[in-house]
Amino acid sequence: MTVMATKFTPEVLLSAPRRSAAVPNPAGTLALFTVSQYSFESHSKDYAIKVLDIKNRHSTQLFDDPAYTEPTWVSDTEFVFLKNGDSTTSLMVADATKPGSDPYEVSSFNTSVSNIKVKDIGNGTVAFACTAPTDAASGAMVNSADEKKPLSTARVYTSLFVRHWDAYVSENKQGLFYGALKKEKKDGPFKLQEPGLVNALAGTRLECPVPPFGDASDYDIGPEGVVFVAKDPDLNPALWTKTDLYYVPLKTFTEEKAPLPQVVKTGKLQGYTGTPVFSHGGTQVVFKRMRDRRYESDKWRLMLVPDVRDLSAVQEFYETADGEGGWDMRPEGPIVWSDDDTELYVAAEKEGRQILYKLPATPLEATELPQPLTRDGTVGDFRNLARGDGRLFLTSTSLVDNSSYSIVDPKSKEVGLVSSSSKEGKSFGLTRRQFDEFWFKGAGDYRCHALVMKPSDFDPSKKYPLAFLIHGGPQGAWGDSWSTRWNPAVFAEQGYVAVMPNPTGSTGYGQALTDGIAEDWGGRPYNDLENCFEHIADNLPYVDTNNAVALGASYGGYMINWIQGHPLGRKFKALVCHDGIFSTMSDWSTEELFFPIREMGGTLWENREGYEKWDPAAFAGEWATPQLVIHSELDYRLPISEGLAAFNALQTRGVPSRFLMFPDENHWVLKPENSLVWHKEVLGWINKWTGLDTTGLSEGTAKTTLK
């Protein structure tokens, strides 16, 4: 940002430049990244592909066409990217050292291509892979624009899913395509070799990436072929989480027909599979696997295929006889091999941070737990900096910094900042001094953790109203990371002390605390939150707990509705429920049914008592605290009827309440203009009840039919 913000407002949050992870070239001299920025003056978004000179820390804009996406290095200076048209996608090549030069087209495809990857496999050949929608029967690429439009809008389903996340499921599936790029002359253009792109999944019932959030991390390519993750086709995806790792052997990436995928068996580990990565040597594969095949928040285990030419010898890191695993952390995000393939680097949550760790690359040598390489913030993406260099290039965020690039030396653990989009928070008027944390007694024989965000002009001799933020998941956690949807600094800059507790169900504190919420949604977590509130009242003299508000989304929204009917709800001046559950008895209107089956202890007909026990609607007769209810039409995970029911109950009881809905958003509010309305409504609501300034907030920002 070129102008320093005088106050961190929703407008500043939402109009700040948003940078992607930066990817260094093989030489470690340049890094590609994209940046987008929304303007509330022009009501439009700017977008650019940029290149960062890692040594002098200067970035240069290469392109500003929003149709240009997914820049990916194909040499030390050249990169491929996608040019997206109305119904076609072109594979393009450009030179990062020649800003302003025109890119050239390698090939064009009559469909929407995404999730590209490249890999130099020797002999001047660059393996190329991507995903694209396909006809489920033939495996051929399809373009929805070419499909004949029916005269009726009716849809008929005979199996699950009917809809998933924010869309109704179609018969088309994502296919995984491979091909080879080669130059006929040293300085000539890359050309896609015959036979073009081939679907490695044709003739199977497999789909990659795994919907709805799968991406390029669901597969990898190397000189021995392709490894990818896909749902088990023999299990209904609405009822089970199981995904498997598959291997397709390839040598040239010009094979006209791919061999049938071979499944990688992992014994008793039968849950989600993720992030397969070939070693630099090309024969080993590391990946992640969960144990429970009906639990999306089980602990990830690190796994190794020592040689993809023999899939019978899969090994587990930190394996224990009881099956629990010896490392009680959950490796998230990418997995990176060291240059010499002797070490692995992973990131995992630990007490409100996402830390980078290193460990030996074979289970036999991993006799000690992984060593941390970073301490604060959230490491999101990390790559090898350069061939033979040994260092890593990191992309991170924190509660005050929305994007930073740095270099870490795994040997010395020294971290050097290369670039910060917000000048380490200064552009927002934020500093690390605003951040704090504390531990409090949980409902049982354990402690819980909470993060704190204070106003930038914080004065410890004053008292501030409390913004009590409850996270979703429920298996999730507040962390030292940036967010454009629930950013604690936005609340702090309104004049609140924002407290973010991580009670039972939270991740990053051991799997036992994470698992402890199952079949106990309104039990231990609620008691933990009560204890947290009392701890604040007894130990934070600068917080006025008599002037407090509570806010939550998803499971946090459920907890807001639960709090409404219980004593803790009377300790808040106002509540905000975003996409929360009104009644657990209607949980079966969701799409991923494995979630309520596990969390509530069975199906609705097998354990009706379990659903009834933690039903917020059963206590609606006690609802009395003013509440803002927010829900969106495209939220198929928690249908909008849940929000309407909560609002109807509040209105019928005569409780001051307000209903905000978005017809074009899903479980998250993502569009900048909608997000601005969301922030103004939320801040206007809580400020009204706590006595803080409401100028420019709430009223007049959204159309209402009744007031």
Side-chain angles (χ1 to χ4, degrees):
M1 297 181 70
T2 56
V3 179
M4 304 288 278
T6 56
K7 181 181 179 181
F8 188 59
T9 63
E11 289 87 346
V12 172
L13 168 69
L14 299 172
S15 62
R18 304 186 188 188
R19 301 195 306 188
S20 69
V23 181
N25 64 357
T29 56
L30 304 172
L32 285 169
F33 66 97
T34 64
V35 60
S36 63
Q37 185 169 17
Y38 190 82
S39 169
F40 287 104
E41 295 180 356
S42 64
H43 304 288
S44 62
K45 181 184 291 185
D46 291 327
Y47 169 88
I49 295 176
K50 292 190 173 185
V51 62
L52 172 69
D53 187 309
I54 295 175
K55 185 176 181 179
N56 66 28
R57 304 181 181 184
H58 176 72
S59 63
T60 302
Q61 181 169 301
L62 300 175
F63 300 108
D64 62 1
D65 189 335
Y68 292 2
T69 61
E70 300 192 37
T72 305
W73 292 109
V74 73
S75 72
D76 281 334
T77 60
E78 296 170 295
F79 64 95
V80 294
F81 65 91
L82 299 176
K83 179 181 179 181
N84 302 292
D86 292 335
S87 57
T88 62
T89 307
S90 295
L91 179 64
M92 311 291 292
V93 174
D95 192 322
T97 63
K98 298 177 181 178
S101 62
D102 292 330
Y104 66 86
E105 181 180 278
V106 176
S107 188
S108 182
F109 313 104
N110 184 34
T111 189
S112 175
V113 168
S114 59
N115 300 311
I116 63 175
K117 277 191 175 179
V118 298
K119 183 78 171 183
D120 187 340
I121 58 173
N123 299 320
T125 300
V126 175
F128 173 81
C130 63
T131 64
T134 65
D135 176 79
S138 67
M141 287 185 178
V142 295
N143 189 329
S144 59
D146 296 336
E147 295 179 333
K148 185 178 180 180
K149 298 297 185 292
L151 298 177
S152 168
T153 59
R155 293 170 180 250
V156 177
Y157 292 86
T158 57
S159 65
L160 301 171
F161 288 122
V162 171
R163 56 187 190 178
H164 199 189
W165 188 248
D166 60 4
Y168 278 80
V169 176
S170 73
E171 293 181 351
N172 296 336
K173 304 295 181 185
Q174 287 288 314
L176 176 57
F177 291 81
Y178 65 82
L181 304 176
K182 206 166 188 177
K183 290 185 175 183
E184 295 179 357
K185 297 180 180 179
K186 183 178 180 181
D187 297 325
F190 280 100
K191 291 188 177 181
L192 181 62
Q193 304 300 293
E194 293 294 337
L197 295 186
V198 177
N199 185 4
L201 309 187
T204 72
R205 293 181 293 154
L206 304 175
E207 180 177 20
C208 182
V210 178
F213 302 121
D215 55 24
S217 68
D218 278 359
Y219 78 92
D220 199 23
I221 54 178
E224 295 294 332
V226 178
V227 286
F228 66 92
V229 174
K231 284 279 190 180
D232 185 332
D234 294 324
L235 294 178
N236 193 298
L239 298 173
W240 306 96
T241 58
K242 184 173 184 280
T243 55
D244 289 312
L245 180 66
Y246 296 85
Y247 168 56
V248 177
L250 299 170
K251 290 297 182 183
T252 66
F253 281 75
T254 58
E255 289 88 345
E256 292 189 12
K257 184 177 180 181
L260 285 176
Q262 304 171 27
V263 68
V264 178
K265 297 181 180 180
T266 57
K268 294 182 179 180
L269 301 181
Q270 294 288 307
Y272 273 138
T273 303
T275 326
V277 184
F278 275 105
S279 62
H280 295 292
T283 58
Q284 302 178 83
V285 174
V286 65
F287 63 103
K288 298 181 300 190
R289 183 81 179 195
M290 291 183 182
R291 178 173 57 180
D292 192 325
R293 61 179 184 169
R294 189 173 256 166
Y295 186 22
E296 64 180 359
S297 298
D298 201 1
K299 183 173 69 175
W300 287 112
R301 322 297 178 95
L302 289 172
M303 310 293 291
L304 176 71
V305 181
D307 191 332
V308 291
R309 293 162 296 193
D310 178 9
L311 301 181
S312 64
V314 180
Q315 301 172 12
E316 179 183 348
F317 288 83
Y318 306 111
E319 184 178 11
T320 58
D322 62 4
E324 296 300 319
W327 188 34
D328 203 16
M329 294 287 106
R330 300 160 47 88
E332 302 286 350
I335 306 172
V336 172
W337 293 81
S338 63
D339 283 327
D340 59 4
D341 288 339
T342 62
E343 289 187 327
L344 295 175
Y345 307 109
V346 298
E349 285 183 276
K350 182 175 175 59
E351 299 175 358
R353 284 86 170 167
Q354 184 140 305
I355 306 301
L356 183 65
Y357 291 87
K358 71 173 181 179
L359 66 149
T362 64
L364 291 178
E365 296 181 12
T367 56
E368 297 182 358
L369 294 181
Q371 299 178 34
L373 300 178
T374 60
R375 293 183 300 174
D376 295 313
T378 293
V379 175
D381 187 86
F382 45 98
R383 316 276 177 130
N384 297 114
L385 176 61
R387 294 176 298 242
D389 183 278
R391 294 177 296 170
L392 300 171
F393 191 91
L394 314 184
T395 298
S396 307
T397 72
S398 73
L399 281 167
V400 300
D401 192 355
N402 65 338
S403 171
S404 66
Y405 303 146
S406 57
I407 295 173
V408 62
D409 186 336
K411 293 182 179 179
S412 66
K413 300 184 182 180
E414 292 182 3
V415 180
L417 181 66
V418 176
S419 171
S420 168
S421 180
S422 66
K423 298 180 175 62
E424 298 179 87
K426 294 183 180 67
S427 297
F428 301 136
L430 305 175
T431 70
R432 290 294 291 181
R433 293 190 302 274
Q434 296 175 244
F435 173 72
D436 204 350
E437 58 192 313
F438 62 83
W439 291 83
F440 62 95
K441 187 182 184 305
D445 187 21
Y446 57 90
R447 293 193 309 157
C448 292
H449 187 224
L451 308 184
V452 179
M453 196 70 180
K454 305 171 185 175
S456 56
D457 59 355
F458 176 73
D459 181 346
S461 66
K462 296 182 179 180
K463 275 190 173 289
Y464 297 86
L466 169 67
F468 197 69
L469 306 181
I470 306 172
H471 69 69
Q475 293 88 1
W478 293 109
D480 185 11
S481 62
W482 191 259
S483 174
T484 54
R485 292 186 290 114
W486 283 88
N487 192 306
V490 165
F491 298 95
E493 292 308 272
Q494 290 292 311
Y496 295 93
V497 168
V499 175
M500 297 83 75
N502 285 331
T504 295
S506 298
T507 52
Y509 303 89
Q511 194 62 32
L513 190 74
T514 303
D515 295 344
I517 195 171
E519 301 183 54
D520 199 19
W521 271 36
R524 274 177 53 185
Y526 172 79
N527 295 330
D528 290 344
L529 295 175
E530 280 192 313
N531 288 0
C532 182
F533 189 90
E534 294 304 320
H535 180 96
I536 296 168
D538 295 340
N539 296 278
L540 302 185
Y542 51 83
V543 176
D544 183 2
T545 51
N546 292 317
N547 194 19
V549 293
L551 310 88
S554 194
Y555 171 79
Y558 161 90
M559 183 53 72
I560 290 295
N561 288 338
W562 183 260
I563 283 172
Q564 262 284 22
H566 291 81
L568 184 57
R570 306 293 79 80
K571 296 184 179 182
F572 296 105
K573 291 288 186 69
L575 303 171
V576 176
C577 171
H578 175 108
D579 290 358
I581 293 174
F582 172 69
S583 176
T584 50
M585 302 306 293
S586 56
D587 272 359
W588 276 62
S589 60
T590 191
E591 15 84 284
E592 292 183 341
L593 293 171
F594 56 75
F595 183 80
I597 290 174
R598 188 187 189 282
E599 293 300 310
M600 295 297 155
T603 64
L604 187 60
W605 50 92
E606 291 170 334
N607 187 25
R608 186 178 183 88
E609 295 79 7
Y611 288 79
E612 291 175 338
K613 183 176 182 180
W614 306 119
D615 186 3
F619 302 90
E622 304 297 324
W623 288 22
T625 302
Q627 181 167 324
L628 170 64
V629 179
I630 307 170
H631 229 101
S632 298
E633 285 278 8
L634 299 182
D635 186 355
Y636 298 157
R637 183 141 300 187
L638 292 172
I640 195 171
S641 55
E642 294 297 295
L644 286 166
F647 179 67
N648 290 347
L650 290 160
Q651 287 283 301
T652 301
R653 286 188 50 75
V655 179
S657 48
R658 190 172 174 92
F659 182 64
L660 170 64
M661 67 81 66
F662 297 96
D664 54 348
E665 299 283 4
N666 54 38
H667 200 54
W668 305 322
V669 177
L670 301 176
K671 298 179 180 179
E673 298 286 353
N674 286 346
S675 185
L676 181 59
V677 171
W678 184 97
H679 279 86
K680 289 189 173 184
E681 285 286 329
V682 169
L683 296 176
W685 179 256
I686 61 176
N687 286 8
K688 170 185 175 181
W689 295 100
T690 56
L692 295 183
D693 187 11
T694 60
T695 303
L697 302 175
S698 193
E699 296 294 336
T701 61
K703 293 181 179 179
T704 56
T705 55
L706 292 172
K707 294 184 180 179

